[in-house]
Amino acid sequence: MDPRLSVVGARLAGAARIIGVTGGKGGIGKSCVASALALALARGGRKAGLLDLDLTGPTDHVILGAAAGFPQEVHGVEPPLCSGVRFMSVTCFSGERPVPLRGADVTNALLEILAITRWGELDALIIDMPPGLGDAAMDCVRLIPRAEYLVVANASRVVQETVRRNLRLLTELKVPVRGVVENMGRGGSDEVRRLAAEHGAPFLGSLPFDETLEETIGSAERLARTPFFAAVRALGDALLA
């Protein structure tokens, strides 16, 4: 048995809540939601961590403007603070180099990050989940059994079909779905609400389509002044209530 398996639980033990942000498809703003959620919790006085487990296309560091560089290492790796958020990503080790992983290498990389990262005491650890329903996502569910899931969807029929499959899988795996949130909402649409009800999951509201959001990429300060962030902050309060 891989000795790292016995370490992962201890590394995550200090996190009171572990929330995986998922959606089953790339391009729906999952990383923006995860990054803004961790930042909102930190701005609200909570000890928050953000773990970007999208190994092949990590972007949380871009969204928050996280500084590059290898994190401090003493009996494990201490996640550096980024705008008040403890942050860890494969980019802390790979920089901007691509990380093409296949098969067992995916599991090994996830396990290594989980085993070496010293989170300490957190009110919430937000995990930006790998997109899709492949090996990486399934490994996360297996390796982080305490995680509860926030599912991101939007009004697109294509997105809803992939989210529907994601919800079915999470239900079959008997993992807790904390709720479904609509991203890039434009008002007047009930499709995501119906999708959540179809799977017995709470509908946690709509995050507005925000034309100014792209201009804030790379600056946590500018992100925190957007209508999108205000809605995410309310979502965070509801999740941790």
Side-chain angles (χ1 to χ4, degrees):
M1 179 180 291
D2 192 319
R4 292 174 298 181
L5 290 169
S6 63
V7 177
V8 172
R11 294 297 198 200
L12 298 174
R17 301 279 294 278
I18 301 175
I19 299 173
V21 180
T22 185
K25 187 174 182 64
I28 61 174
K30 173 178 61 66
S31 293
C32 278
V33 173
S35 300
L37 180 57
L39 181 62
L41 293 174
R43 289 291 176 99
R46 295 182 172 97
K47 295 179 181 177
L50 175 62
L51 174 57
D52 190 347
L53 286 183
D54 187 343
L55 301 181
T56 56
T59 56
D60 293 2
H61 65 294
V62 177
I63 295 167
L64 293 180
F70 197 88
Q72 215 172 20
E73 187 171 8
V74 180
H75 306 299
V77 170
E78 182 177 343
L81 268 177
C82 175
S83 299
V85 176
R86 288 288 174 189
F87 176 66
M88 179 55 63
S89 165
V90 67
T91 59
C92 292
F93 310 100
S94 65
E96 296 304 314
R97 297 188 304 276
V99 184
L101 299 171
R102 299 177 63 189
D105 289 339
V106 174
T107 301
N108 188 57
L110 288 170
L111 189 51
E112 185 70 12
I113 289 175
L114 291 170
I116 66 174
T117 307
R118 299 171 53 236
W119 291 104
E121 298 295 321
L122 296 174
D123 294 307
L125 173 61
I126 307 302
I127 299 179
D128 187 356
M129 290 283 288
L133 302 174
D135 289 348
M138 293 301 92
D139 278 338
C140 289
V141 172
R142 175 176 63 89
L143 294 170
I144 314 172
R146 283 205 298 124
E148 47 195 310
Y149 292 88
L150 172 66
V151 180
V152 180
N154 64 31
S156 163
R157 290 179 61 188
V158 173
V159 167
Q160 287 182 37
E161 182 56 34
T162 57
V163 169
R164 182 173 284 107
R165 293 174 186 272
N166 197 354
L167 282 166
R168 285 173 181 164
L169 179 62
L170 293 174
T171 300
E172 290 173 3
L173 293 173
K174 294 182 171 56
V175 297
V177 176
R178 187 66 179 82
V180 179
V181 64
E182 179 184 19
N183 193 27
M184 298 180 281
R186 293 179 182 267
S189 173
D190 284 331
E191 286 93 343
V192 177
R193 185 188 298 274
R194 286 194 290 268
L195 178 63
E198 178 185 331
H199 295 276
F203 176 65
L204 300 179
S206 181
L207 306 175
F209 176 77
D210 188 341
E211 293 181 349
T212 69
L213 192 59
E214 184 66 24
E215 301 169 8
T216 74
I217 298 300
S219 171
E221 290 300 321
R222 290 199 300 270
L223 173 60
R225 294 195 292 268
T226 62
F228 171 80
F229 184 82
V232 170
R233 191 162 190 168
L235 171 65
D237 290 340
L239 283 170
L240 267 66

